[in-house]
Amino acid sequence: MRYSQSFIPTLKETPSDAEVISHQLMLRGGYIKKAAAGIYSYLPLGFKVLKKVEAIVREEMERAGAQEILMPMVTPAELWQKSGRWDIYGKELLRLKDRHDRDFCLGPTHEEVVTELVGNYVRSYRDLPLNIFQVQTKFRDEVRPRFGLMRGREFVMKDAYSFHTTDEDAEREYQNMFETYKRIFARCGLKFRAVEADSGAIGGNFSHEFVVLAESGEDAVASCSACDYAANVEKAAAKSKRNPPSHRVAPLDIEHLSTPGRKTVEEVTAFMKVAAEQLVKTLVYLADGNPVVALVRGDHELNEVKFKNVLNCNDLELADAAAVVKVTKSAPGFAGPVGLEGVKIYADHSVEVMDNFVTGGNEKDVHLKNVNIKDFIAEGFYDLRSVIHGDECPKCNGTLEIHRGIEVGHIFKLGTKYAEAMDATFLDSDGVEKPIVMGCYGIGVGRTAAAAIEQNNDESGIIWPMPLTPYEVIITAVNPKDEEIRNASEAIYAELQEKGIEVLLDDRDERPGVKFKDADLLGIPVRLTLGARSLKEGNVELKLRRDKESSNVRLGDAAAEVERIVKEALK
Ligand code: ATP
Ligand code: MG
């Protein structure tokens, strides 16, 4: 491609609404253009990158035995009503009506459509197993679309679904996809971890997220410094450090203290001059509309995913002020477990080993000192908190570190949940009709491209890993009006194209400084610079985007050298 004829609308200024570096650089480099919040056009460079990620995903999925299909994006409500998700999906599901007033929604994911599709076709165990996938535009009306392609509302996803006669076979395919995902992200040139994720009602470790490590990531990953344990913080098991019995102290009598206006952990602990570890937070939640109470230590955070799993409810939300008043019979900010009636109390394991702690007094401006677990009745003690940096590893004696990352892929064993709801059954070899066992496997295509930029950039712009770059090499003709430079550039351009190298020829009538700046911003991994001085000596300057220094190659060797570098990087 000739730069002079291309559509690469770069920007001089960083758009003010772009918070993370990948979003900034994609806008500045003319990769994408916002149409509405979370909705983007992919310009030529952005589209090329997207197609590169797609191609890697497609190749590896096919190598793993999956077959590509394309399902509709507009999906009928009946399917979602059948699975029950029409009512529980909430506002992320964009619903619409056709001219006959029939309900539809834009597919945020395709379990319903695919289960209906495959369920209709499968008759017997002989038709299974199957793994089918698509690369498609999804729509999720996210509450906070942001970070460009990282959390869009309209975005490209690869979603795959597998169908099996038995749990064991679904687990075999899960492993197959696990290995396939590792290959995909390695081939994209990314540093990533496969981490255990919450698998809700499904038993066993059959949910993994593939997380690209980056400071800007919205996910937190706990990993052990000593063993290979790695899990999403939502899921990572907390080991409560149990106080050895000799450290326990005898319970004292409860004291009522006046704590005027002190509600938060910070306010109360500062006022009472106690550590947050000595306080127990009392949180009122609504589980499917009914109040429940959770207790966690002052310096810990309640983990809503874990709490939801313990309660086995569909919907869990922090109670509003009115509900708190109803449960505690006092102003919000002073809730405590002592004397609470008509509501179940779930306590975190770490509370079980605390002595003489501070809680709210269920009375405005009152906190209690010297509370012990004998002073209230808990439903039980559970793992309810998120792990924190320095916690003990649940698998070994090492300590956990918390890193930030971007979830680019997710694999999940679904079991028979959708098959049962959608009536997708098969006749087994024993003549018994059984529900199909399923798995699902997603990759955010655009998010993967954005994650690659988060991991590979500097103050001048993007530094593409070779497998994802829109062009492998840029030829910067310093002064294309100079005939010698123009002819030499055109010759190398033709030679590289011949070799199948993706090349952008910067033939624009621009100052060299502008051209170098743009080449760095776009992030093309190899640059060949043709200037009058070096050309006089028969040389071309070769610079890798990743390196500070450049080197000279003979004009006649330049194309072959670039080819060697590109091939090496794609190995
Ligand atoms: P998140 O927790 O980030 O919202 P999710 O759990 O909703 O993700 P899945 O339903 O598992 O995501 O979707 C599969 C993949 O699709 C994710 O791993 C991610 O890479 C991608 N993805 C999900 N939501 C978005 C989005 N709003 N924008 C871009 N990619 C997305
Ligand atoms: Mg989501």
Side-chain angles (χ1 to χ4, degrees):
M1 184 71 210
R2 287 165 204 281
Y3 208 138
S4 61
Q5 290 160 20
S6 68
F7 178 37
I8 308 177
T10 56
L11 304 176
K12 289 226 163 50
E13 304 291 324
T14 301
S16 59
D17 62 340
E19 293 166 61
V20 297
I21 197 78
S22 59
H23 189 193
Q24 293 171 2
L25 291 176
M26 278 191 171
L27 289 171
R28 278 187 51 210
Y31 281 81
I32 56 171
K33 173 81 174 72
K34 178 164 126 181
I39 301 179
Y40 292 87
S41 294
Y42 303 94
L43 307 187
L45 292 186
F47 193 41
K48 270 179 177 294
V49 174
L50 207 68
K51 284 190 287 188
K52 288 227 168 156
V53 178
E54 260 187 60
I56 292 173
V57 169
R58 184 170 283 121
E59 251 179 66
E60 293 299 334
M61 289 302 291
E62 286 179 345
R63 185 212 296 265
Q67 300 167 71
E68 187 168 7
I69 61 166
L70 186 58
M71 288 180 274
M73 193 205 173
V74 175
T75 66
E78 295 88 79
L79 293 181
W80 297 81
Q81 283 154 351
K82 223 168 166 183
S83 74
R85 286 210 286 188
W86 186 256
D87 292 325
I88 58 177
Y89 215 107
K91 289 192 171 162
E92 258 190 40
L93 194 65
L94 187 68
R95 297 155 211 255
L96 35 128
K97 281 187 190 292
D98 72 1
R99 63 167 74 201
H100 307 294
D101 219 27
R102 283 193 282 254
D103 287 311
F104 288 85
C105 64
L106 295 185
T109 176
H110 276 66
E111 283 82 3
E112 280 77 359
V113 182
V114 81
T115 308
E116 164 94 355
L117 176 77
V118 172
N120 260 318
Y121 149 76
V122 168
R123 291 278 164 268
S124 87
Y125 66 97
R126 286 190 209 91
D127 302 322
L128 296 170
L130 262 186
N131 186 341
I132 53 184
F133 76 100
Q134 61 175 349
V135 180
Q136 189 198 37
T137 299
K138 295 279 185 276
F139 197 95
R140 294 183 184 178
D141 203 354
E142 300 270 356
V143 202
R144 289 220 293 153
R146 58 199 179 137
F147 304 159
L149 300 193
M150 205 104 91
R151 184 167 297 283
R153 293 196 293 166
E154 185 181 295
F155 59 96
V156 178
M157 194 206 285
K158 184 285 295 178
D159 45 331
Y161 307 88
S162 69
F163 302 84
H164 310 272
T165 53
T166 61
D167 260 339
E168 294 71 53
D169 197 51
E171 286 161 21
R172 174 202 51 75
E173 187 62 12
Y174 186 90
Q175 279 313 316
N176 183 25
M177 286 294 108
F178 187 89
E179 296 304 324
T180 301
Y181 273 42
K182 282 208 293 201
R183 270 204 305 276
I184 288 172
F185 295 117
R187 269 190 67 186
C188 288
L190 296 169
K191 290 190 275 297
F192 66 95
R193 296 288 292 262
V195 308
E196 288 178 18
D198 176 56
S199 49
I202 304 274
N205 277 332
F206 292 106
S207 175
H208 281 86
E209 287 170 359
F210 289 76
V211 177
V212 166
L213 301 177
E215 270 316 304
S216 58
E218 292 182 284
D219 287 277
V221 170
S223 58
C224 179
S225 53
C227 74
D228 64 357
Y229 179 78
N232 188 313
V233 162
E234 285 180 352
K235 144 102 188 187
K239 240 189 195 176
S240 56
K241 285 187 182 145
R242 291 183 169 265
N243 288 343
S246 61
H247 285 195
R248 303 294 302 256
V249 293
L252 301 171
D253 291 336
I254 292 181
E255 287 176 39
H256 292 243
L257 298 178
S258 164
T259 51
R262 271 63 171 198
K263 298 180 177 179
T264 64
V265 173
E266 292 72 37
E267 289 164 356
V268 175
T269 52
F271 183 75
M272 294 179 64
K273 299 193 174 55
V274 294
E277 288 90 329
Q278 236 357 83
L279 182 139
V280 168
K281 286 193 274 200
T282 305
L283 304 159
V284 184
Y285 271 83
L286 296 176
D288 295 333
N290 304 312
V292 287
V293 162
L295 304 180
V296 291
R297 212 168 77 181
D299 59 327
H300 289 157
E301 290 301 324
L302 179 87
N303 181 318
E304 293 186 359
V305 173
K306 289 182 178 179
F307 194 25
K308 206 170 154 183
N309 287 343
V310 166
L311 296 170
N312 196 15
C313 63
N314 280 326
D315 188 55
L316 183 71
E317 55 176 354
L318 208 51
D320 53 18
V324 174
V325 170
K326 212 165 159 195
V327 169
T328 65
K329 318 230 166 9
S330 110
F334 302 95
V338 181
L340 274 192
E341 280 171 6
V343 59
K344 286 183 178 169
I345 299 173
Y346 297 82
D348 182 66
H349 283 310
S350 55
V351 173
E352 197 174 4
V353 293
M354 289 171 70
D355 303 301
N356 301 320
F357 44 87
V358 174
T359 70
N362 297 324
E363 190 181 333
K364 189 168 183 303
D365 297 338
V366 173
H367 276 82
L368 305 184
K369 214 174 125 179
N370 300 334
V371 176
N372 287 279
I373 59 171
K374 68 170 175 54
D375 299 319
F376 56 88
I377 296 167
E379 194 61 22
F381 295 88
Y382 308 88
D383 178 9
L384 295 182
R385 70 177 176 95
S386 293
V387 295
I388 52 178
H389 199 88
D391 267 338
E392 207 178 318
C393 170
K395 278 208 174 144
C396 75
N397 290 327
T399 47
L400 295 181
E401 294 171 355
I402 312 280
H403 294 284
R404 303 222 55 94
I406 302 161
E407 178 203 320
V408 286
H410 191 180
I411 59 175
F412 200 94
K413 185 178 147 198
L414 288 170
T416 55
K417 178 176 165 188
Y418 289 94
E420 283 180 36
M422 314 287 300
D423 244 346
T425 58
F426 68 99
L427 206 58
D428 209 349
S429 51
D430 55 10
V432 178
E433 187 169 339
K434 296 173 185 167
I436 302 175
V437 186
M438 291 172 58
C440 69
Y441 320 92
I443 290 181
V445 175
R447 192 185 278 187
T448 300
I453 298 179
E454 289 297 326
Q455 255 182 9
N456 300 283
N457 67 77
D458 64 11
E459 60 292 342
S460 309
I462 304 171
I463 309 175
W464 282 114
M466 195 64 81
L468 303 189
T469 186
Y471 289 102
E472 290 157 345
V473 52
I474 181 166
I475 302 173
T476 304
V478 170
N479 176 12
K481 284 196 175 136
D482 175 321
E483 198 178 332
E484 200 183 344
I485 293 180
R486 191 173 61 242
N487 290 344
S489 309
E490 290 287 345
I492 299 186
Y493 178 55
E495 201 180 339
L496 284 169
Q497 282 187 315
E498 194 112 312
K499 289 179 183 296
I501 303 293
E502 297 163 324
V503 50
L504 181 64
L505 170 64
D506 193 349
D507 57 345
R508 292 175 303 167
D509 188 15
E510 286 281 1
R511 283 181 295 114
V514 171
K515 294 187 173 191
F516 294 143
K517 263 212 162 82
D518 281 342
D520 281 352
L521 174 63
L522 301 187
I524 298 169
V526 186
R527 188 179 82 205
L528 283 178
T529 306
L530 280 79
R533 208 175 314 144
S534 48
L535 218 49
K536 286 254 148 32
E537 292 157 16
N539 285 334
V540 175
E541 187 194 287
L542 186 148
K543 185 178 172 299
L544 299 184
R545 176 66 181 84
R546 211 170 266 289
D547 295 344
K548 286 257 172 310
E549 305 300 319
S550 60
S551 59
N552 279 327
V553 286
R554 301 298 295 165
L555 182 59
D557 299 338
E561 179 59 9
V562 169
E563 184 186 26
R564 192 191 61 76
I565 292 170
V566 171
K567 294 252 157 83
E568 179 68 29
L570 289 178
K571 249 197 222 150

